[in-house]
Amino acid sequence: MSPPIVVFDLDGTLVDTAPDLVASLNHAVTQAGVEPVTYADLTHLVGHGARAMIERTFALRGKALSEEDLAWQMKEFVDFYHGSMPGDSLPYPGLVAALDRLQDAGLKLAVCTNKPEALATRLLEGLGLLGRFAAVAGGDTFAVRKPHAEHLLSTVANAGSIAERAVMVGDSLNDILVARNASVPSIAVPFGYSDVPIESLGPDRVIQHFDELTPHLVETLLSRKHK
C-alpha cells in the first residue's frame, strides 16, 4: 500500500508569514503616499494574496486605485517580499517536530498553496524546510488553484502519491473546500488567517497545536474515509 501523504497549506498553516506580508504591503503603499496599516486592519486578508491586501489598504485610506496603480503596487510588494525572505516569518510552534514524526513513520509531505510557486519555494528554502517536501505547488503551478480539486490532486501526483492516501492540512476556507472537492480528509488549524472560526467550515478534524498531528491521526482519517 502506498504510504500516506500529508499536504499542507503554507501561509497561516506551516508558517506565520503575517509580519512580512504586512511589511511588504506597507513598503508598497507608502510609495503611493498611502499611510501604512497594521495586521489588525487586515486580519484574514493576509491569507488572500497581495491584490486583496492592497485593495483593502487603499479602501481603508479612502484612496482610489486604478488597475495601472494596482499593477505597480503588486510589483513593489512582490519585489520587497522576495528580497526580504524569510524575514520575520517563522514555522508555527511544534511544526518541525510534527514533520519529523510524520517522516520518521514513512509518510510523504507536500505543500499546496495559492502563493506563487517561486515565493513559496524561496520561503521554505530560507526556513530550511524545502527538502522535507516531495512537491511544492503554488497558485501558478497549474492551470487551476485552490479550491479547485485539481490543484490538490495534481500536487499529490507530483509528489508521487495517490489521492486515496492523502490528507490536507490548512487554516482557511480554500483548504477545507479543496479537500472536500478532491474527496480528501481535512485537518484544520485555528491559529491561521481564517475570517471565521475554522470549526464552522466543517473540517474532518481540528487540531489546536501541531503536537496533535501524528501518523496515527492521519491513518485514522484515511481509514474512516474508506469505510
Side-chain angles (χ1 to χ4, degrees), residues 34-47:
V34 175
E35 288 184 22
V37 293
T38 66
Y39 174 75
D41 294 319
L42 303 169
T43 60
H44 69 282
L45 287 178
V46 299

Side-chain angles (χ1 to χ4, degrees), residues 93-145:
L95 171 72
V96 173
L99 299 182
D100 286 341
R101 272 196 304 278
L102 298 175
Q103 289 185 298
D104 289 347
L107 279 68
K108 284 189 170 184
L109 309 174
V111 172
C112 180
T113 173
N114 280 347
K115 195 187 203 75
E117 182 182 335
L119 293 180
T121 300
R122 182 175 174 87
L123 175 60
L124 291 167
E125 185 175 33
L127 293 170
L129 297 174
L130 183 61
R132 292 176 175 271
F133 299 102
V136 175
D140 55 355
T141 303
F142 309 113
V144 295
R145 61 196 309 207

Side-chain angles (χ1 to χ4, degrees), residues 19-168:
D20 295 302
L21 293 171
V22 174
S24 301
L25 172 68
N26 283 331
H27 167 80
V29 301
T30 54
Q31 307 298 307
V34 175
E35 288 184 22
V37 293
T38 66
Y39 174 75
D41 294 319
L42 303 169
T43 60
H44 69 282
L45 287 178
V46 299
H48 286 216
R51 182 188 185 104
M53 294 169 66
I54 292 164
E55 289 175 339
R56 169 67 170 165
T57 300
F58 272 71
L60 274 175
R61 300 303 186 222
K63 301 283 188 179
L65 180 66
S66 67
E67 282 297 318
E68 184 180 356
D69 288 338
L70 178 60
W72 77 263
Q73 282 286 293
M74 288 180 67
K75 183 178 187 306
E76 285 286 337
F77 179 104
V78 171
D79 287 352
F80 184 87
Y81 185 57
H82 188 276
S84 61
M85 280 184 177
D88 293 324
S89 296
L90 290 172
Y92 282 101
L95 171 72
V96 173
L99 299 182
D100 286 341
R101 272 196 304 278
L102 298 175
Q103 289 185 298
D104 289 347
L107 279 68
K108 284 189 170 184
L109 309 174
V111 172
C112 180
T113 173
N114 280 347
K115 195 187 203 75
E117 182 182 335
L119 293 180
T121 300
R122 182 175 174 87
L123 175 60
L124 291 167
E125 185 175 33
L127 293 170
L129 297 174
L130 183 61
R132 292 176 175 271
F133 299 102
V136 175
D140 55 355
T141 303
F142 309 113
V144 295
R145 61 196 309 207
K146 293 185 295 185
H148 197 292
E150 282 302 319
H151 192 180
L152 176 54
L153 295 173
S154 296
T155 302
V156 170
N158 278 5
S161 193
I162 57 174
E164 290 75 16
R165 299 291 285 159
V167 171
M168 178 75 200

Side-chain angles (χ1 to χ4, degrees), residues 5 13 18 32 41 47 52 58 64 106 109 118-119 169 199 204 213:
I5 180 168
T13 300
D41 294 319
F58 272 71
L109 309 174
L119 293 180
V169 182
E199 295 84 358
D204 293 292
L213 182 56

